[in-house]
Amino acid sequence: MSFYNQNVSVPEMTDIRLYFCPTAFVNAPMAPSGATFRLAGGLKWFGAFSVIMVSKGEIVQERVISVADINSFLNSLSTEMQLDAYRTISRIVAPRAAIQLGKSKIRLDHTHIVGILNVTPDSFSDGGLYQDNVDAACDMTKAMMDQGASLIDIGGESTRPGAEAVSEEEEKLRVMPVIEKLKEASLPISVDTRKSSVISAVWEQTPAIFNDVSALSWDKNSLFVAAEKSYPVILMHHEEGSIHEGSSKKILIEVYNWLEKRIEVAEAAGISRDRIIIDPGIGFGKSFQDNLALIRGIALFHGLGCPLMLGASRKKLIITFAGDTHPQERLGGSLAIALHAADQGVQLLRVHDVRDTAQALTVWQALY
């Protein structure tokens, strides 16, 4: 990898914005360039930034600048651009607040596994396995915790393409019996729902993360309900259809800007940034190339200053490499994505195969 250490000034151009993506990752505070920054206060370090320059919505330049040379580059910027760059870089390196759910505390200085529990009849991978079977659902929850999950994500409505909408009453009938039985065990959970009434019912029973695929936009009450509590929320990018034209790199900028705006909306409603987790929404209204670009460049989103969640387990993009297989036969591809995300400093991996992912992460980490 070559680093720019001379002539690192920004082109003279109006309305330009810089995006900083950490790169040249290492698992110790050392790099060939001799200098590193710690990523999000965790156990990953990086030796360079990929700096993407955008003007009027178009990428005009991209260059790699080593951490050793970043001050020279920043000194070449206007005062306003320097302030914006320092704010972004500060967010990239700042430690992420631990997730506190009752007695459970999840420190986000390394990658954690989030086990998926769908209590639905029609989820793309495991629909029907745990619907109307509370004991089996609870046993699976405890099994995933024993296998290495730090958190369990419970969902009562499928969000796969073409899935039918579920009423609030029906979703509660699916989710609440499991929640009520699990609350005595005080297990850390998140609830995958777009409905404020569902998460409110959950919160009456137990602490939980509000995991909303619409980033608190589908239900007009969600922002206000979430602001009244101190529990974390997950804001996921979800937009139907193609949202951009041009290079695959551009999807990174568009999703980044979209999530940035949703964070601002959440903060304005009273939800502090240290309660927000972000998810680029792999597979939601995106092409194969879009999904690939988001996974490759997911480290860019550290610039938003929030923990990152990635949910790509068993998803359709894997069949491009592995052939048109059943979702349960996509373990290899799922593990490859999980290890790449961990190397990029992603804090939360939402997966179906907890035991295998935990084993892969353990061996991968031991090899460094």
Side-chain angles (χ1 to χ4, degrees), residues 278-296:
I278 57 173
D279 182 339
I282 300 302
F284 286 80
K286 302 175 182 71
S287 69
F288 165 74
Q289 291 297 337
D290 291 342
N291 289 320
L292 208 57
L294 288 168
I295 294 169
R296 284 172 174 164

Side-chain angles (χ1 to χ4, degrees), residues 117-123 131 153-159 164-176 178-179 190-195 198 211 350:
L117 182 74
N118 289 316
V119 285
T120 59
D122 56 346
S123 291
Q131 185 194 19
D153 188 50
I154 302 172
E157 179 184 40
S158 174
T159 51
E164 293 185 6
V166 175
S167 69
E168 294 179 7
E169 292 73 20
E170 175 62 25
E171 191 172 343
K172 288 179 187 176
L173 285 172
R174 295 175 181 180
V175 171
M176 292 311 300
V178 178
I179 296 295
S190 61
V191 178
D192 184 356
T193 182
R194 299 177 296 171
K195 302 177 180 72
V198 173
N211 182 11
R350 186 176 180 273

Side-chain angles (χ1 to χ4, degrees), residues 47-113:
F49 293 95
S50 174
V51 182
I52 304 170
M53 304 179 186
V54 177
S55 178
K56 298 178 180 178
E58 297 298 325
I59 296 174
V60 296
Q61 192 176 113
E62 183 178 2
R63 55 175 64 170
V64 177
I65 301 174
S66 70
V67 165
D69 294 322
I70 195 65
N71 282 333
S72 296
F73 173 74
L74 296 179
N75 288 336
S76 72
L77 306 178
S78 67
T79 300
E80 182 178 354
M81 291 179 71
Q82 278 190 39
L83 290 173
D84 186 61
Y86 279 122
R87 180 168 53 249
T88 301
I89 292 172
S90 295
R91 285 174 175 166
I92 290 171
V93 301
R96 304 301 185 242
I99 295 173
Q100 187 75 52
L101 295 170
K103 298 177 181 179
S104 300
K105 188 171 187 177
I106 303 172
R107 299 185 184 277
L108 297 177
D109 57 356
H110 63 284
T111 300
H112 292 268
I113 294 172

Side-chain angles (χ1 to χ4, degrees), residues 295-317:
I295 294 169
R296 284 172 174 164
I298 195 168
L300 178 76
F301 298 103
H302 288 295
L304 294 170
C306 301
L308 308 184
M309 172 179 273
L310 182 67
S313 173
R314 299 184 182 179
K315 290 204 170 174
K316 191 175 180 180
L317 76 124

